[in-house]
Amino acid sequence: AQSVAQPEDQVNVAEGNPLTVKCTYSVSGNPYLFWYVQYPNRGLQFLLKYITGDNLVKGSYGFEAEFNKSQTSFHLKKPSALVSDSALYFCAVRGFSGGYNKLIFGAGTRLAVHP
Amino acid sequence: GAVVSQHPSRVICKSGTSVKIECRSLDFQATTMFWYRQFPKQSLMLMATSNEGSKATYEQGVEKDKFLINHASLTLSTLTVTSAHPEDSSFYICSARGSIESPLHFGNGTRLTVT
């Protein structure tokens, strides 16, 4: 069965420090992986995706993610955190069931960047 | 970038009434739209997948007669919560994509409160 795990409910980082939000996945075949961010009372915004190619994927707002096939991980990273990065982050993998491709989301990780 | 408009952003209704939520893709044709429900501090739960011109596919445990989904055109899908009850109070989010390779684009969500 396809699944996504985000082991941390919350990540706390000081502004200016690097941040990492962890994600591991389980899927048969080649994974299609995504990161989304959600601000309060808003929908999700797409950050980046991995389908094929370079393991290091660069996305919006200075975020990047590294695909590691042996560790089945797709951790989200940013070299220098901003207070405005504080939000809820979701990792997702594309799964297939019921005749459709659909996104399977992790539980989410709340990122808190403090000044 | 692709824009998905969801309306209304907030709605308060009385128990027993029905509420319609609209989801529009503004600058692309959405062959597939998805409806999610999000409980406080939880991840997104996929409710149903709809393709233009065909019946929606509901996830297990989602009552199709309770949550009516119509995908009448390539730019519009609607979710109608029929005979709403307080337990239907939640944050509902739609998403849409153009092609199977495209990332999902999300609406800003609808906060439904049933009194």
Side-chain angles (χ1 to χ4, degrees):
Chain A
Q2 302 111 346
S3 65
V4 177
Q6 293 180 244
E8 303 152 316
D9 290 337
Q10 178 152 333
V11 170
N12 297 297
V13 178
E15 187 175 30
N17 282 1
L19 70 88
T20 299
V21 182
K22 295 180 180 178
C23 171
T24 58
Y25 66 89
S26 174
V27 64
S28 56
N30 294 321
Y32 286 23
L33 297 158
F34 304 81
W35 275 101
Y36 285 85
V37 59
Q38 185 181 31
Y39 296 97
N41 294 309
R42 302 291 295 272
L44 276 65
Q45 295 179 32
F46 170 75
L47 282 179
L48 50 81
K49 67 177 178 180
Y50 171 84
I51 295 178
T52 186
D54 291 339
N55 289 342
L56 186 63
V57 179
K58 294 188 182 297
S60 306
Y61 313 120
F63 284 94
E64 57 189 29
E66 187 168 11
F67 170 65
N68 187 316
K69 188 173 183 179
S70 62
Q71 296 184 4
T72 61
S73 67
F74 190 56
H75 301 332
L76 181 69
K77 299 180 180 183
K78 187 173 182 179
S80 178
L82 301 172
V83 173
S84 57
D85 292 330
S86 300
L88 187 56
Y89 290 80
F90 290 99
C91 181
V93 65
R94 197 177 80 180
F96 186 85
S97 68
Y100 291 100
N101 285 297
K102 56 191 69 173
L103 279 188
I104 299 165
F105 287 91
T109 298
R110 188 164 299 282
L111 174 66
V113 182
H114 48 88
Chain B
V3 178
V4 174
S5 173
Q6 187 172 341
H7 179 80
S9 58
R10 292 177 181 271
V11 58
I12 300 173
C13 70
K14 292 187 176 181
S15 187
T17 61
S18 295
V19 174
K20 180 184 284 188
I21 303 170
E22 291 188 350
C23 180
R24 294 180 184 272
S25 57
L26 298 185
D27 54 357
F28 67 102
Q29 292 187 324
T31 54
T32 307
M33 287 187 169
F34 302 85
W35 287 95
Y36 294 86
R37 183 173 179 177
Q38 186 179 31
F39 294 97
K41 299 184 179 181
Q42 292 191 26
S43 189
L44 282 71
M45 181 192 78
L46 180 64
M47 298 175 67
T49 303
S50 72
N51 285 291
E52 183 265 340
S54 62
K55 289 184 178 180
T57 300
Y58 289 81
E59 296 298 302
Q60 192 172 11
V62 178
E63 300 175 60
K64 57 184 66 176
D65 294 330
K66 174 77 172 173
F67 300 99
L68 299 178
I69 292 172
N70 183 283
H71 193 160
S73 75
L74 283 171
T75 59
L76 174 65
S77 176
T78 60
L79 167 67
T80 301
V81 183
T82 62
S83 186
H85 288 95
E87 57 265 32
D88 298 325
S89 298
S90 192
F91 193 55
Y92 293 87
I93 308 175
C94 74
S95 66
R97 68 170 180 225
S99 68
I100 200 169
E101 298 299 331
S102 304
L104 283 186
H105 299 282
F106 286 80
N108 281 332
T110 297
R111 173 78 55 196
L112 170 64
T113 303
V114 184
T115 60

